Amino acid sequence: QMALKKMDSKTPSKKRTSSSRHWQSPPVVVIFKDMESFITKVLQDFIVISSQHIRELPLVLIFGIATSPMIIHSLLPHSVSSLLCIELFQSLSCKEHLSTVIDKLLLTAQFPFKLGEKVLQVLINIFLYHDFSVQNFIKGFQLCIVEHFYSQPLSVLCCQLVDAKKRVNSLSHDQCENIRRLPSFRRYVESQPSQKQIALLTADNFLKEIIQKLLEDLHVYHENYVSVLRCLHVFTSSLPKYPLGKQIRELYCACLENRVWETEEYESSLQLARMLNKSDLVTMLQQCVEIFVSSSGKEFDKTVEKLKEFLTQFQKLEAEAFQERDVSVSSQKELQKKTDLYHLQKTLLELKESRRSKKLTKFEKLRFEVVDYIDSLVRNYLVPADHKTLHEIVYFNTASVLRGHLNAAPRIALHTALNNPYCYLKNQALKSDGGSISNKAPDICIVYKLHLECGRLINLVDWLEAFSTVVMAVEGPNADAASSDQVDDIIQYPFSFLSTVSELELLGFIKPSKQKTDHVARLTWGGC
Amino acid sequence: MSRPERRGSGALEVKFVPDEEVLKHIADDAGIKVRKDKTQLTVSVKRFVKKLENISDNEAQEMLEEKNYVAALGICAQDPVENGSSVSGSEVYSFQTPKRSSKMAELASELAQTPGQSVAPDHSECPENTAKTPQSSKRSSSNKVQQRSKKKEFVSTTPYRLRKRLAAPDPYLESESEYSASCSEEEDEEDQKEVSTVLAGQKTPAKTKAASTPPPRNTLAKKTKEDKMSNLVEEYFEAHSSSKVLTSDRTLQKLRKRRLNQQTLHDLLKKAPLAYAAEIKELNQQHESLFSKWMLQLHLGFNIVLYGLGSKRDLLEKFRTSVLQSSVHLVVNGYFPSITVRSILNSITEEVLDHIGTFRSPLDQLEFIIKRFKEDSSLELYVLIHNLDSQMLRGERSQQILAQLSSLPRIYLIASIDHINAPLMWDQAKLSLYNWLWYETTTFSPYVEETSYENSLLVQQSGSLALSSLTHVLRSLTLNARGIFRLLAQYQLENKDNPSYPGLSFQDFYQQCREAFLVNSDLTLRAQLTEFRDHKLIRTKRGADGVEYLLIPVDDSTLTDFLEKEDEDV
């Protein structure tokens, strides 16, 4: 009877097997981090040997597996794995962790710092399409914070509301000017009456008052935003095909991006919501009530009331429907009494007729009302953040920076530099027309360009000659005059060629080859 | 922000697409829909003939292409300013390598002729120009090249892979998908040959023109296209399996006698003015403005890696002198050929931690460093590594150790990489240990230091090192031993014109030594040879007949120098 156990190390809970009851002392726990990277022979031997001494030395083995549990069977032959009493513990999938992180970090009014739509999209995309790493997501989030506070001078106001208000009072004139320069603030000023405009643009004190008010608005907006977003998610997440996404993060992105109610997806999800059945609708409404009750927003008393009213109406409807059903049952009974075919046909026709022309039932009306109400909530509270004044203070929006630092493409940078040096060196002489590079480009670009024309092996002599042809053309007729003696010319230019070739070697484009004298091999390839 | 903007419309052969449009279709793709768009991937985009089409088509095509890329990689939320860089991704990983041997010379003369330069491409000069490159001499006039230039530049840069991948025809671009660059290229070649035969005798520019106009695309072209569309993988192996390589047989030896040695090269390079110095300086200033940011981010637990064309040594050096003067820092020249992780660790334990003693393995040493840094919270260390991707450091174990080192909270690592495949060194585990922030620092400065240690292809190894080691070792030997070595050297020099010289056989050598009264027995000679071998002065090789052959692994000129020197001494 073996008592070895196998568990996923991510959940360190230990369970004693039945046989462990006989043990005098607690078993020795051995944790194997990253089981896949062990040498299988060692692992097998260890298991076999320790199984022989299990009586004297009780053991619990914990294996950490990064891939699938099936790996056990490919690593250990049956004779060994049968010695183990395996129990599997699985940690949550990384997606769930991500959801938790987003839930706790972003979908809350607790933290003043917010991510813009593009930034969030970049982070989520890196997660979904590159690494599935929650750690990297958090790293990205950290970087966003650093970047925001480093690059946005007004981020001093990105703090808890109470502190922010205090800080507003101590803003310097320059900082006030900074605020006046914010695009969102400019829009706000333009929407004000002219008297107030002047005051906003000239009087710092007045400006500070207004800023405090606006910051408070922004705070309230965030408080409400989250609750309404969750509420909307309750509705959209249960619709067939999830037009607005299954996860709340997708919905959040959509809402951040632009007015969500103007999108087609929103339209179609409303359509679908209008077809929900009653029990679903009631549970959703109950969930919404819970969300609003627990939310920190203060404006939701009325909303909660309204929703509760809907719920009671539904209950009433239920009661009514019960009665109605009685009526219909009785009418059916009536129907059954009449065996006359003609009458039957007639009543059926009547029924059909009435159904077609029938107005909406009470339930349907109510359902429309509910959906419309939710719609109005969305329109009221889910205004995209960049429509709000002073959003620049708390939102980090420069996704390009983030992508450059987290998801860099060194090869593309190299490629661009070699093919189009004008991108980096702003010299008119380098400005290229279309795809080709000019012959005045830096040597390395020319040499690179020439090497692209070659096959697997490159003859250095040809390369050198081609290069000096180009360089001499740039040098002008003086060089041409001397070109009668070819050797001399080549001697004139090789040194820049030599170093450039070594540079290309360093960059990994070529390597020396022994297949043929004075040849180098290309390391990059395409359709040869 | 000005840097990313510059990259904006910068990618090769990318037509300008208004930002709004880019934004719009990016928005279309965003988030949830990305996966659904997979069908889009099969949309055929034939780029290579786009110059034959009108511009509006081009744009639409470009858009589609970008969309595909965006959908495929899921990088949806990019800033409009960066659109350029994302497009070129498909180009970057496919390098077309045409088999024609004359391509390079052709491009060279084309480049030499590009408008806007001082030499006017008039006919009187053209033949002369082409005559300089024997390769291109079979073409009659570079005038033709110019005419073809538009098309050719296409052929040379079109991403092959894209072409293959997006094979299914798209109704929207149906008209274009008839053509394939691969076949047009072939046609080009035929076309070109035709032209050269026609023009073999007479060099009439007018005729060139007539002949070089692209011939009408016919059904044959279509057929070849079908064949060409076959698997890219097969093509790869096809290209790499055949040992036949179509290159000319010319060697540098024939070209000129004197090869430059390292030192002269270095001097020459120093003398040569740096092109575009002003622009490069501007670039550097941009990078230097980031120093304070780097410091902040290093202290926040990130490590920084620099990439981009051009030597980043000076930049890092400037960073060191301007910011790190007062703090403990370690500079690692990764490009140095004998650098090892062990030497890095040694310098940390010995210089930084003042520890005297040895360690059994680098891992022990690492353990020790980690322990010390955990214990003593006042320790701080900046590590600057030039060329983290160098030959010596790119190994799995080295990277693992460096990654673990860099993950320590008070070790701040800032490194540079240059190799195009450098990021492949790191797997997820290492990446998370390194916690990189990537910075693009394209400097365009020459890699002077970095390449100086490399055995450059064209630069003759001066052999000065070998020579000095020879003299040093021999000076410590007995007179007889020196005589023995001399004998061998002389014999080798006598045979230097014999390319199949196997070396001096042991028996012959013994005979000669005896005659010169250098040894008295077989055993003494063997003992002496062992000593030589230990100092790597000679190499022994067994021939086909089982006889031992002795060889001095130094090139002839060095050996001659050595003998001359010896003669002087004596």
Side-chain angles (χ1 to χ4, degrees):
Chain A
Q1 172 70 32
M2 282 306 308
L4 291 181
K5 293 206 308 182
K6 170 164 287 180
M7 316 176 195
D8 219 318
S9 77
K10 282 164 193 164
T11 51
S13 59
K14 291 168 270 171
K15 230 162 95 183
R16 296 195 152 194
T17 55
S18 52
S19 61
S20 69
R21 263 178 245 133
H22 309 299
W23 293 339
Q24 301 302 311
S25 51
V28 178
V29 180
V30 183
I31 299 176
F32 292 84
K33 268 187 183 175
D34 197 8
M35 181 190 184
E36 290 94 329
S37 58
F38 278 97
I39 301 163
T40 48
K41 189 80 184 70
V42 175
L43 209 58
Q44 288 168 18
D45 288 351
F46 178 76
I47 293 170
V48 171
I49 292 167
S50 55
S51 76
Q52 284 159 3
H53 300 281
I54 197 66
R55 291 272 166 222
E56 306 95 74
L57 183 67
L59 273 177
V60 172
L61 307 183
I62 301 182
F63 296 108
I65 299 170
T67 52
S68 83
M70 294 308 290
I71 197 83
I72 300 166
H73 302 291
S74 58
L75 286 181
L76 307 174
H78 181 70
S79 58
V80 177
S81 63
S82 61
L83 297 174
L84 298 169
C85 162
I86 299 174
E87 237 172 288
L88 268 179
F89 297 88
Q90 256 180 335
S91 63
L92 283 176
S93 84
C94 54
K95 270 160 131 185
E96 278 164 64
H97 285 300
L98 179 73
S99 300
T100 322
V101 169
I102 289 180
D103 211 56
K104 296 258 165 32
L105 269 180
L106 301 178
L107 298 177
T108 165
Q110 207 181 335
F111 307 113
F113 176 76
K114 301 275 170 196
L115 293 181
E117 186 265 333
K118 278 191 192 121
V119 174
L120 183 59
Q121 196 67 256
V122 165
L123 286 180
I124 289 177
N125 280 331
I126 290 178
F127 177 85
L128 288 180
Y129 297 99
H130 289 270
D131 50 16
F132 283 122
S133 160
V134 180
Q135 205 184 340
N136 273 355
F137 185 87
I138 294 170
K139 173 188 166 189
F141 189 75
Q142 288 169 337
L143 180 64
C144 290
I145 298 176
V146 175
E147 279 289 332
H148 182 67
F149 284 98
Y150 187 84
S151 57
Q152 172 62 269
L154 288 173
S155 56
V156 279
L157 296 180
C158 180
C159 53
Q160 296 299 333
L161 187 62
V162 191
D163 300 330
K165 278 184 175 171
K166 277 182 209 153
R167 287 185 197 177
V168 167
N169 282 327
S170 53
L171 284 183
S172 69
H173 177 69
D174 283 346
Q175 282 170 316
C176 288
E177 283 301 313
N178 270 337
I179 287 180
R180 287 186 182 117
R181 253 177 258 132
L182 290 179
S184 72
F185 189 74
R186 278 213 204 131
R187 274 203 303 270
Y188 171 76
V189 170
E190 275 158 26
S191 67
Q192 298 301 312
S194 59
Q195 203 64 37
K196 208 175 165 190
Q197 279 187 13
I198 296 167
L200 278 173
L201 294 178
T202 51
D204 282 356
N205 282 335
F206 181 65
L207 177 78
K208 283 175 189 172
E209 261 172 51
I210 296 292
I211 292 171
Q212 287 186 344
K213 216 178 104 241
L214 287 171
L215 282 177
E216 205 171 317
D217 280 355
L218 202 61
H219 184 74
V220 171
Y221 159 78
H222 282 134
E223 276 183 344
N224 298 338
Y225 191 96
V226 177
S227 309
V228 177
L229 186 77
R230 286 185 198 279
C231 179
L232 180 62
H233 180 241
V234 166
F235 274 85
T236 57
S237 62
S238 56
L239 297 175
K241 282 190 184 170
Y242 314 107
L244 277 170
K246 198 176 180 179
Q247 305 285 339
I248 195 162
R249 57 166 189 264
E250 290 162 311
L251 186 67
Y252 185 44
C253 282
C255 292
L256 279 175
E257 195 182 359
N258 45 31
R259 294 191 177 98
V260 70
W261 57 89
E262 283 171 3
T263 60
E264 269 177 45
E265 290 85 7
Y266 182 77
E267 202 58 46
S268 60
S269 40
L270 275 196
Q271 294 272 347
L272 289 168
R274 289 197 183 105
M275 286 183 257
L276 285 168
N277 63 29
K278 198 177 73 187
S279 61
D280 282 354
L281 212 53
V282 169
T283 46
M284 282 178 200
L285 280 178
Q286 277 162 349
Q287 281 176 323
C288 289
V289 170
E290 272 169 37
I291 289 169
F292 283 126
V293 167
S294 63
S295 88
S296 48
K298 286 152 196 95
E299 293 175 18
F300 290 125
D301 295 346
K302 268 187 192 167
T303 319
V304 172
E305 244 170 61
K306 182 84 182 166
L307 289 176
K308 280 187 175 157
E309 194 187 313
F310 280 132
L311 279 173
T312 47
Q313 276 179 343
F314 273 117
Q315 273 159 8
K316 256 190 227 163
L317 263 184
E318 210 165 338
E320 276 173 36
F322 198 66
Q323 287 168 4
E324 249 178 50
R325 204 182 301 143
D326 281 352
V327 174
S328 64
V329 166
S330 63
S331 73
Q332 266 175 6
K333 272 177 192 162
E334 245 172 67
L335 212 73
Q336 278 166 358
K337 278 175 201 165
K338 295 182 180 176
T339 47
D340 193 333
L341 186 64
Y342 170 74
H343 280 282
L344 179 68
Q345 259 182 346
K346 202 175 160 188
T347 26
L348 280 175
L349 271 176
E350 271 171 15
L351 264 175
K352 200 178 167 192
E353 195 76 354
S354 70
R355 201 165 291 164
R356 191 181 296 158
S357 65
K358 193 171 67 178
K359 282 186 187 150
L360 298 168
T361 61
K362 276 183 186 168
F363 166 66
E364 280 166 328
K365 264 189 210 159
L366 195 55
R367 190 163 62 180
F368 268 86
E369 267 177 51
V370 171
V371 173
D372 285 347
Y373 184 71
I374 297 293
D375 185 37
S376 73
L377 280 181
V378 168
R379 281 166 201 262
N380 251 332
Y381 292 108
L382 292 188
V383 182
D386 44 4
H387 291 250
K388 299 301 274 189
T389 315
L390 296 185
H391 69 89
E392 289 95 337
I393 290 177
V394 293
Y395 278 86
F396 176 69
N397 243 328
T398 32
S400 59
V401 177
L402 197 65
R403 249 189 65 195
H405 292 335
L406 291 181
N407 196 13
R411 210 160 163 169
I412 288 175
L414 214 58
H415 182 82
T416 317
L418 287 170
N419 278 299
N420 199 350
Y422 182 68
C423 272
Y424 295 96
L425 305 172
K426 294 287 175 209
N427 191 314
Q428 282 308 311
L430 291 175
K431 202 156 189 175
S432 65
D433 44 338
S436 70
I437 57 166
S438 90
N439 50 14
K440 290 200 188 69
D443 290 342
I444 190 163
C445 301
I446 294 172
V447 172
Y448 169 79
K449 203 78 187 168
L450 291 170
H451 115 284
L452 280 186
E453 300 299 322
C454 291
R456 194 149 55 86
L457 287 182
I458 306 171
N459 185 323
L460 278 173
V461 184
D462 291 349
W463 201 1
L464 171 61
E465 269 184 5
F467 176 70
S468 39
T469 313
V470 177
V471 179
M472 263 184 284
V474 179
E475 290 293 311
N478 312 351
D480 253 17
S483 70
S484 54
D485 190 358
Q486 198 185 334
V487 181
D488 276 4
D489 268 333
I490 290 163
I491 286 290
Q492 271 182 6
Y493 290 108
F495 53 86
S496 58
F497 176 73
L498 297 182
S499 62
T500 328
V501 170
S502 324
E503 282 173 18
L504 281 186
E505 193 185 343
L506 180 82
L507 293 174
F509 284 106
I510 52 165
K511 66 167 188 193
S513 164
K514 282 190 176 152
Q515 282 190 28
K516 230 171 156 182
T517 33
D518 291 330
H519 274 66
V520 290
R522 267 188 74 173
L523 293 176
T524 53
W525 70 281
C528 301
Chain B
M1 269 317 290
S2 60
R3 199 160 46 86
E5 255 164 8
R6 293 222 241 137
R7 291 179 59 190
S9 54
L12 239 209
E13 59 182 298
V14 171
K15 277 276 174 298
F16 177 72
V17 182
D19 286 349
E20 306 87 62
E21 283 181 63
V22 176
L23 256 187
K24 212 177 100 200
H25 85 248
I26 288 170
D28 284 345
D29 273 351
I32 34 174
K33 281 174 66 189
V34 172
R35 289 209 179 139
K36 291 173 203 159
D37 271 355
K38 266 193 179 148
T39 44
Q40 289 274 2
L41 284 176
T42 53
V43 163
S44 153
V45 181
K46 305 287 184 219
R47 222 148 52 116
F48 33 89
V49 269
K50 83 179 153 190
K51 285 217 174 159
L52 304 174
E53 304 296 316
N54 61 39
I55 293 165
S56 67
D57 262 3
N58 277 346
E59 258 180 31
Q61 196 178 347
E62 199 59 58
M63 300 260 299
L64 251 175
E65 198 173 304
E66 193 171 317
K67 194 169 169 181
N68 284 336
Y69 177 74
V70 168
L73 284 193
I75 305 168
C76 309
Q78 46 177 306
D79 266 16
V81 282
E82 279 231 315
N83 57 5
S85 65
S86 74
V87 176
S88 54
S90 49
E91 298 161 20
V92 177
Y93 293 95
S94 59
F95 296 85
Q96 192 192 1
T97 49
K99 264 182 182 164
R100 285 156 55 195
S101 51
S102 62
K103 277 295 265 194
M104 188 160 66
E106 227 170 81
L107 183 82
S109 46
E110 180 200 324
L111 277 176
Q113 296 290 315
T114 38
Q117 40 125 340
S118 48
V119 187
D122 64 318
H123 298 300
S124 58
E125 194 209 340
C126 288
E128 196 183 309
N129 221 332
T130 43
K132 266 185 280 177
T133 57
Q135 288 301 295
S136 54
S137 61
K138 69 180 173 195
R139 277 179 295 106
S140 48
S141 141
S142 58
N143 187 27
K144 194 186 71 70
V145 176
Q146 255 193 308
Q147 284 174 6
R148 292 184 55 242
S149 68
K150 266 203 167 167
K151 212 163 82 190
K152 196 150 61 68
E153 109 211 342
F154 241 127
V155 171
S156 63
T157 48
T158 316
Y160 232 84
R161 191 125 62 97
L162 190 73
R163 215 184 299 158
K164 307 276 168 185
R165 190 156 28 115
L166 309 170
D170 177 6
Y172 183 48
L173 300 162
E174 188 65 84
S175 58
E176 295 178 1
S177 59
E178 287 183 38
Y179 309 121
S180 112
S182 45
C183 67
S184 70
E185 189 187 329
E186 282 181 353
E187 271 177 42
D188 265 358
E189 197 166 5
E190 284 161 24
D191 173 26
Q192 187 195 342
K193 275 177 193 156
E194 188 187 327
V195 173
S196 39
T197 48
V198 165
L199 295 178
Q202 60 203 45
K203 296 182 179 176
T204 332
K207 201 148 191 183
T208 328
K209 239 176 214 170
S212 63
T213 46
R217 314 275 163 177
N218 48 20
T219 45
L220 194 133
K222 267 188 186 170
K223 240 169 93 184
T224 42
K225 183 190 107 192
E226 292 296 322
D227 299 338
K228 283 274 171 184
M229 284 298 178
S230 65
N231 208 343
L232 189 67
V233 182
E234 277 169 29
E235 269 183 31
Y236 175 84
F237 286 110
E238 196 184 313
H240 286 252
S241 62
S242 68
S243 55
K244 207 180 75 185
V245 186
L246 300 166
T247 50
S248 64
D249 295 327
R250 303 189 307 156
T251 58
L252 290 168
Q253 217 77 47
K254 286 178 194 163
L255 195 67
R256 61 215 156 91
K257 290 204 172 64
R258 193 172 61 94
R259 280 193 180 195
L260 294 161
N261 66 26
Q262 194 78 48
Q263 195 52 46
T264 34
L265 176 68
H266 204 82
D267 294 345
L268 279 170
L269 277 177
K270 262 192 187 159
K271 265 183 250 157
L274 189 61
Y276 303 106
E279 284 83 3
I280 289 175
K281 201 175 159 206
E282 200 180 302
L283 269 179
N284 275 322
Q285 271 164 359
Q286 273 176 32
H287 302 321
E288 280 159 28
S289 65
L290 293 170
F291 282 174
S292 59
K293 198 172 177 180
W294 289 355
M295 278 304 271
L296 173 71
Q297 287 171 339
L298 284 174
H299 277 267
L300 288 169
F302 297 104
N303 292 309
I304 288 174
V305 62
L306 309 177
Y307 65 92
L309 182 68
S311 168
K312 289 159 280 288
R313 208 187 112 82
D314 293 343
L315 187 68
L316 279 178
E317 203 50 27
K318 187 126 192 208
F319 175 72
R320 188 181 74 83
T321 48
S322 60
V323 193
L324 298 182
Q325 269 313 321
S326 56
S327 32
V328 183
H329 56 260
L330 173 74
V331 181
V332 178
N333 293 328
Y335 50 82
F336 194 72
S338 62
I339 191 96
T340 57
V341 178
R342 183 156 252 210
S343 55
I344 297 174
L345 291 176
N346 277 340
S347 44
I348 293 178
T349 48
E350 283 162 22
E351 313 281 327
V352 181
L353 302 178
D354 288 327
H355 174 85
I356 306 156
T358 50
F359 296 91
R360 258 182 301 144
S361 72
L363 284 176
D364 282 355
Q365 206 163 359
L366 182 70
E367 205 68 18
F368 174 78
I369 294 169
I370 291 172
K371 215 178 101 216
R372 282 294 298 272
F373 269 87
K374 279 202 178 130
E375 279 168 6
D376 190 350
S377 60
S378 65
L379 278 173
E380 274 194 336
L381 175 65
Y382 294 85
V383 182
L384 286 88
I385 303 184
H386 302 293
N387 285 79
L388 185 59
D389 55 346
S390 68
Q391 287 285 355
M392 294 305 293
L393 297 181
R394 68 172 64 147
E396 150 89 30
R397 286 174 57 88
S398 324
Q399 288 295 329
Q400 182 67 38
I401 287 172
L402 288 175
Q404 273 173 314
L405 206 58
S406 74
S407 68
L408 286 178
R410 275 182 313 280
I411 288 188
Y412 313 114
L413 175 67
I414 177 164
S416 67
I417 55 167
D418 284 301
H419 198 279
I420 45 170
N421 294 327
L424 298 180
M425 296 188 293
W426 303 313
D427 55 14
Q428 280 299 334
K430 289 195 199 76
L431 278 178
S432 71
L433 281 175
Y434 270 126
N435 204 15
W436 288 129
L437 283 189
W438 298 75
Y439 272 90
E440 185 188 336
T441 52
T442 302
T443 60
F444 272 97
S445 359
Y447 293 97
V448 181
E449 282 291 318
E450 287 91 329
T451 53
S452 64
Y453 294 103
E454 236 174 290
N455 288 343
S456 180
L457 305 159
L458 291 176
V459 183
Q460 182 195 32
Q461 281 307 298
S462 64
S464 57
L465 205 70
L467 184 64
S468 71
S469 70
L470 265 186
T471 39
H472 270 100
V473 171
L474 283 184
R475 210 161 280 167
S476 63
L477 294 176
T478 58
L479 207 65
N480 271 8
R482 273 195 254 175
I484 294 170
F485 190 77
R486 244 180 108 83
L487 262 182
L488 188 61
Q490 274 164 348
Y491 188 79
Q492 186 160 335
L493 281 180
E494 279 162 26
N495 286 290
K496 71 177 173 188
D497 293 327
N498 177 10
S500 58
Y501 168 67
L504 182 55
S505 73
F506 180 77
Q507 279 310 320
D508 293 349
F509 193 32
Y510 175 58
Q511 207 57 45
Q512 287 185 23
C513 288
R514 265 187 84 99
E515 282 161 15
F517 298 108
L518 290 170
V519 292
N520 50 13
S521 78
D522 180 302
L523 276 177
T524 4
L525 179 60
R526 283 217 183 270
Q528 201 57 64
L529 289 182
T530 316
E531 191 164 0
F532 286 159
R533 207 176 303 142
D534 289 347
H535 285 105
K536 301 222 161 61
L537 292 182
I538 59 162
R539 222 171 47 197
T540 50
K541 197 165 66 171
R542 255 182 218 290
D545 46 356
V547 182
E548 210 174 344
Y549 288 104
L550 306 166
L551 208 63
I552 304 173
V554 179
D555 58 45
D556 300 337
S557 57
T558 317
L559 214 53
T560 323
D561 285 349
F562 164 73
L563 284 179
E564 277 165 13
K565 239 183 168 176
E566 279 285 285
D567 288 339
E568 277 168 30
D569 288 356
V570 173

